[in-house]
Structure formats: C-alpha cells, structure tokens
C-alpha cells in the first residue's frame, strides 16, 4: 500500500519536462498478467515473506476494476469469484497491518461482483476479527461485514456490534455507529434490529458528551451517534422532541462535536416546521408562543446563533430563516448572523450567507443585510456578486435601481445562464414593484438582448419583456 500511495503521490507532485502529465505506473497493466500474479495468494509461505508484494497485486486489481478508460480490464463473474476466494487466504497470521487493511478494502470492493452465496464464506474470518484484540482489525472488519450480511445473519452478530458501539476504542465505536446507520437504511428488517441498540447509542453519546476538557474525545463518534439516534426516531415525533429536550438544554451545551450540534440544530428546524404546520402558521406573531416544543426548539436555535463555531451559527440562522411567515422580530438575530458572515474573509461563508438570503421570503428582514450585500456586489467571486445584486434587487429602494443596473451590466460576462435567468426574474418583480422605473429596466433588458448570449437566456429576456408589456402598459412605449 505504501508503495502504491507513493507512486500516486509522485504523479501528483511531478510533471514531465514538456509540461504533460506523467504516465500512471499502472496504466499499461495487462489483466491476464495481474491475474497470473494473483496466484501467489495461494502460497502461504510467499504471503508471509512478501506481504508488500500482495499489497501491490491487490492495488493493481483494484486499479483495473476502477479504470474508467477501459472496459476490457473489468473482472468477469468467474474472475471476481476466484480472486475473492484467493483473497480470503490472506487472512493468515501475518504481522503486516497494510496487507490486512488492503484485504478489507479489496473484499469490500469485489464482493458486489460475486454471487451472494459465495460471499458468505468470508463472514467467519470477519467475525473472528471482530472479536480480536487489535482495534484496527475490529473496526475494519465491522465496516466490511455490514456490506455482506443480511437480516438473518445480523441477529447472530448483534451482540458484537452492540459491544463495539460502547467500546473504549473510539475508532471501533465510530465504525460500529456508521455500520449501524448503513444497516438501518438497508431494509425494514435490519431497521427493526438496529432500533434495539438505542440504549448503547445513547450511552456512547452521553459518555462522549460528559468527557472533561483535555480528555481524548472524538467529534465523529458524537456526530454519528446523534445521526443514528435521529434515524431511529425519524418517525416518532415524541421521541424526537425528547431527544431535543435532552440535548438542547444544559446537557446540549456539553456536546463537544460541532457536527453533532449541527445535526441537533437541523432536527430542531424540522420539528419547528412540523409544529408550525400542525398549529397553523399563517399568522404567526412569535414562534415561541405556538407551543412549548416551538419555544424549546426556537430558544436552542437562537442560542446557537452566538456559538463560536461559524458553521453552527450559520446552520441555526439557516434553520430559522427557512421557517415560513415568521415575523421580522423573530428573524432579526438570524439576520445579524448573516450580516457578520457577509463581511467575512472566507469566501465560503460569504457564499453561504448570500445564497441563503436569496431564498428568504421576508424581504423586510433581508433588507437588514443590505449593507453587507452591497459589500458583496464587488466580490471577486462572480457567483457571490450576482446573488448579492439579485437579492438587492428584491429588497432595494427605487432610488438604488439605476446604480444596481449599472453594476449588473459589468457582471454579466462569465456568469452562468441559470444565474442570469434568476436575475431576470428579480428585474421583472422590481419593475412591477416600481412601475415608474420601467423605462430604465426595459432599456437594460433591450441592451443585453443585443449581446451575444445563449438561446435560453435570450428567450427568457423576451419572455420577461412580454410579461412586463402585459402587466405594465407603459412599457409598450
């Protein structure tokens, strides 16, 4: 594996003197030769003495199977089955971690090509590795095994996975949680079995959340545990509400993983939307007054807006701003979060803020961010600049229309047609809002119609002009 990774790294790092890409060392491989070399897997002495040779052969087989340029290099059912059985003989007492990890990867990639009845033979080896003393082997064995077993076999290894979920080795625990999540999604029978593990999942989440600062933790363990709990309770509103109540209060502040907090934030947003829908949200004054669940979820979202992690603050602001028909006072703190992101030195933060604001329906709330949006109009990233000015067209005043049109004319080159069409829709809405500016807007549409643009964009311009003629009679002049 090390040699294979080194070869790939050398290709990425170096170019030929002529400036062309270097040739991949495996590009000229012949499938027949590689299959011939793979016969060494049957020689246990050779495997013990030269484990790196076996790694190289496995890497070559995986390269041939995943090479998009060649169809003749793909393995047939017979070849895949023979290689699969040969690779199972590599489960020998070899003190080489790279070979064992490569075997796990190879089995995971090749097993879909084999007959399911043939694949079952490897489960005994994997089950044995699940109970060994080496955490690395246990974690990888679990990952591979969940792709092979069915619901009938899951019951026989259930106790091993439950033990792995609460294992002190965080790598093993994380692998078991991810495996459980995949099993839950595979079939209804598997989901029924996985739901019985809810006690172990909650135990691991609480154990990780209760760790003191400075003690080794793993953010992904908490995140995957929270994700699995949400999967288990996805059709149980009461269960989801209790989950939010348990981790959004004092206990929630001790969750160390940003990803776990984001999953909890999204769950709060989902529950809020469902609760507002059930109780009727057409005339919501304050979301907190709808129900106790709404108050709990909304308070947690607002508290997350001030989180030091920008990703969590954004997710909370996005969840609040996506709720329909909220009053401006409910959205004010979320808009403050977006304002700070609009002037961030991170392009991803500016793009996320602008993209989210462009979808907010409460224009009065979005207008609070006009100063930050105007700052983004001159952004080097044209997508950010285009979405910023498109949003400003929805929230701007009549006095700023001429200036916005001038800026738009400089941004059109290099923008994808889908963004241009979105900009046209904003211009039509703006003209309907301020009919007195129809001359400037229709004149702008006429000018860009003469430019060398795509067919879909020009058709959208014509449709926009025709729509304005029908709704604003003065434009016929």
């Amino acid at each position: 594996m090390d040699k294979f990774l080194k070869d790939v790294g050398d290709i990425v790092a170096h170019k030929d003197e002529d400036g062309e890409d270097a040739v991949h060392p495996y590009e000229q491989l012949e499938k027949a030769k590689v299959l011939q070399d793979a016969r060494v897997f049957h020689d246990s002495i050779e495997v013990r003495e030269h484990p790196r040779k076996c790694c190289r052969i496995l890497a070559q087989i995986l390269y041939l199977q995943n090479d998009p340029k060649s169809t003749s290099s793909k393995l047939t059912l017979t070849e895949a089955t023979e290689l699969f059985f040969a690779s199972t003989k590599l489960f020998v007492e070899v003190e080489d971690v790279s070979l064992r990890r490569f075997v796990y990867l190879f089995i995971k990639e090749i097993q879909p090509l084999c007959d399911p009845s043939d694949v079952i033979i490897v489960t005994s080896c994997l089950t044995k590795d699940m109970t060994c003393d080496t955490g690395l082997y246990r974690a990888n064995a679990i990952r591979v095994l969940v792709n092979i077993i069915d619901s009938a076999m899951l019951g026989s290894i259930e106790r091993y996975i439950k033990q792995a979920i609460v294992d002190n080795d965080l790598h093993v625990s994380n692998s078991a949680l991810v495996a459980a999540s995949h099993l839950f999604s595979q079939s209804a029978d598997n989901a029924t079995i996985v739901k019985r593990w809810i006690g172990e999942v909650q135990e691991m989440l609480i154990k990780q959340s209760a760790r003191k600062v400075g003690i080794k933790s793993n953010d992904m363990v908490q995140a995957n545990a929270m994700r699995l709990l949400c999967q288990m309770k996805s059709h149980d509103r009461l269960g989801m509400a209790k989950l939010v109540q348990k981790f959004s209060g004092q206990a929630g502040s001790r969750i160390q993983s940003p990803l776990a907090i984001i999953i909890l934030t999204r769950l709060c947003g989902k529950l809020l939307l469902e609760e507002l829908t059930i109780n009727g949200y057409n005339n919501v004054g304050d979301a907190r007054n709808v129900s106790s669940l709404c108050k709990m979820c909304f308070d947690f979202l607002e508290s997350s807006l001030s989180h030091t992690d920008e990703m969590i603050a954004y997710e909370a602001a996005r969840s609040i701003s996506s709720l329909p028909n909220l009053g401006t006072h409910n959205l004010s703190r979320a808009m403050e979060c977006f304002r700070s992101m609009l002037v961030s030195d991170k392009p991803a933060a500016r793009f996320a803020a602008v993209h989210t604001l462009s979808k907010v329906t409460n224009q009065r709330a979005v207008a609070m961010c006009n100063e930050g949006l105007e700052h983004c109009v001159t952004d080097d990233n044209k997508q950010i600049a285009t979405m910023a000015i498109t949003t400003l067209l929805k929230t701007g005043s009549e006095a700023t229309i001429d200036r916005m049109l001038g800026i738009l004319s400089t941004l059109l080159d290099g923008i994808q047609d889908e963004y241009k069409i979105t900009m046209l829709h904003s211009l039509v809405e703006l003209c309907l809002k301020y009919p007195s500016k129809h001359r400037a807007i229709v004149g702008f549409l006429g000018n860009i119609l003469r430019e060398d643009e795509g067919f879909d964009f020009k058709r959208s311009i014509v449709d926009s002009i025709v729509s304005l003629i029908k709704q604003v009679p003065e434009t016929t002049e």
Side-chain angles (χ1 to χ4, degrees):
M1 178 185 282
D2 293 342
K3 185 180 184 302
F4 175 67
L5 294 176
K6 184 178 183 301
D7 292 338
V8 175
D10 291 342
I11 293 170
V12 175
H14 299 90
K15 299 284 185 180
D16 287 340
E17 294 180 358
D18 298 333
E20 297 180 355
D21 291 345
V23 177
H24 196 288
Y26 292 166
E27 189 170 344
Q28 305 300 326
L29 282 178
E30 296 181 2
K31 185 172 75 169
K33 183 180 184 304
V34 176
L35 294 178
Q36 179 73 21
D37 292 342
R39 294 184 178 180
V40 73
F41 297 163
H42 297 281
D43 188 343
S44 59
I45 298 177
E46 185 74 10
V47 171
R48 287 190 178 93
E49 293 180 352
H50 303 286
R52 297 308 171 102
K53 179 181 178 181
C54 298
C55 289
R56 186 175 67 255
I57 296 172
L58 291 173
Q60 291 172 348
I61 296 171
L62 291 175
Y63 176 83
L64 290 173
Q65 181 60 27
N66 292 281
D67 184 9
K69 300 178 182 178
S70 175
T71 56
S72 60
S73 65
K74 307 299 181 185
L75 298 174
T76 63
L77 175 62
T78 303
E79 292 168 343
T81 303
E82 290 178 356
L83 285 172
F84 183 83
F85 281 110
S87 66
T88 60
K89 296 187 177 182
L90 297 177
F91 280 98
V92 292
E93 296 300 328
V94 180
E95 295 298 329
D96 190 275
V97 177
S98 296
L99 176 57
R100 181 60 67 89
R101 295 183 70 183
F102 235 127
V103 171
Y104 292 131
L105 176 62
F106 184 80
I107 292 175
K108 184 179 178 181
E109 293 294 323
I110 295 298
Q111 63 90 12
L113 306 176
C114 305
D115 189 283
S117 60
D118 295 330
V119 174
I120 298 300
I121 194 173
V122 80
T123 55
S124 60
C125 298
L126 293 172
T127 304
K128 181 180 178 182
D129 280 359
M130 283 179 61
T131 58
C132 70
D133 296 330
T134 306
L136 182 65
Y137 294 171
R138 281 187 288 155
N140 284 283
I142 291 171
R143 289 175 176 173
V144 178
L145 196 56
V146 296
N147 291 285
I148 297 175
I149 61 175
D150 53 19
S151 56
M153 294 186 60
L154 180 58
S156 62
I157 64 167
E158 178 182 2
R159 66 187 183 94
Y160 299 125
I161 300 181
K162 290 170 68 174
Q163 290 171 1
I165 289 175
V166 295
D167 199 282
N168 290 327
D169 188 325
L170 299 181
H171 186 201
V172 174
S173 177
N174 197 43
S175 297
L177 289 168
V178 174
S181 180
H182 286 306
L183 287 169
F184 190 91
S185 305
Q186 284 177 2
S187 67
D189 292 336
N190 284 352
T192 302
I193 297 175
V194 173
K195 284 181 179 179
R196 300 202 294 255
W197 310 343
I198 190 169
E200 286 75 15
V201 178
Q202 287 181 338
E203 178 185 344
M204 195 61 191
L205 180 58
I206 294 172
K207 183 164 63 174
Q208 288 295 305
S209 301
R211 288 179 181 267
K212 297 180 180 179
V213 177
I215 298 178
K216 184 179 178 181
S217 182
N218 189 319
D219 288 348
M220 290 307 301
V221 171
Q222 294 184 50
N224 286 320
M226 181 65 74
R227 175 171 172 261
L228 183 56
L229 282 175
C230 291
Q231 280 183 285
M232 292 176 172
K233 298 176 181 289
S234 58
H235 299 293
D236 180 10
R237 288 190 72 252
L238 181 59
M240 288 192 293
K242 289 181 178 179
L243 181 64
V244 172
Q245 184 179 13
K246 188 171 186 176
F247 291 101
S248 65
Q250 186 178 2
S253 63
R254 294 201 297 268
I255 295 179
Q256 302 170 22
S257 169
L259 291 175
I261 299 175
I262 286 175
I263 294 172
L264 187 61
T265 300
R266 290 179 176 176
L267 178 60
C268 285
K270 177 183 177 181
L271 287 174
L272 258 175
L273 180 59
E274 292 178 354
E275 192 73 7
L276 291 175
T277 303
I278 293 173
N279 290 278
Y281 54 75
N282 292 329
N283 296 304
V284 174
D286 190 334
R288 297 181 184 84
N289 298 332
V290 175
S291 68
S292 58
L293 177 59
C294 282
K295 184 180 186 306
M296 177 180 62
C297 292
F298 199 87
D299 286 344
F300 174 71
L301 291 178
E302 283 211 326
S303 66
S304 299
L305 291 172
S306 56
H307 200 281
T308 54
D309 192 302
E310 194 174 50
M311 184 168 58
I312 295 174
Y314 164 73
E315 191 62 40
R318 187 198 64 81
S319 297
I320 292 175
S321 62
S322 63
L323 297 172
N325 297 327
L326 283 188
T328 305
H329 60 286
N330 278 155
L331 294 170
S332 58
R333 288 196 60 190
M335 295 302 114
E336 290 177 9
C337 178
F338 287 133
R339 274 206 302 266
S340 64
M341 293 179 67
L342 289 171
V343 296
S344 171
D345 57 351
K346 301 176 183 177
R350 298 196 301 273
F351 179 85
V354 172
H355 186 262
T356 306
L357 286 171
S358 66
K359 297 181 179 181
V360 178
T361 57
N362 190 324
Q363 301 304 322
R364 290 182 59 188
V366 178
M368 300 178 186
C369 302
N370 278 358
E371 184 178 348
L373 289 169
E374 290 180 7
H375 177 269
C376 290
V377 165
T378 57
D379 199 284
D380 294 335
N381 187 312
K382 286 195 172 183
Q383 290 186 350
I384 295 177
T386 304
M387 284 192 291
I389 197 161
T390 301
T391 307
L392 280 172
L393 289 174
K394 298 176 183 178
T395 61
S397 63
E398 186 174 0
T400 62
I401 291 178
D402 292 331
R403 181 165 61 89
M404 293 296 105
L405 293 177
I407 297 173
L408 263 178
S409 60
T410 63
L411 293 175
L412 287 177
D413 294 336
I415 299 176
Q416 296 178 0
D417 282 356
E418 60 178 307
Y419 291 106
K420 294 179 181 178
I421 293 173
T422 303
M423 175 265 297
L424 290 178
H425 296 160
S426 299
L427 284 175
V428 171
E429 293 177 5
L430 190 66
C431 189
L432 296 177
K433 186 176 180 181
Y434 301 109
S436 60
K437 304 298 292 186
H438 70 275
R439 190 177 299 276
I441 294 174
V442 175
F444 175 78
L445 293 176
N447 290 334
I448 60 177
L449 185 60
R450 300 185 188 96
E451 300 293 331
D452 186 15
E453 301 288 352
F455 172 74
D456 291 338
F457 180 52
K458 286 199 170 187
R459 184 174 62 181
S460 297
I461 296 174
V462 173
D463 292 341
S464 299
I465 294 175
V466 171
S467 176
L468 288 175
I469 290 175
K470 291 180 179 179
Q471 299 182 68
V472 184
E474 294 85 351
T475 57
T476 55
E477 300 176 6

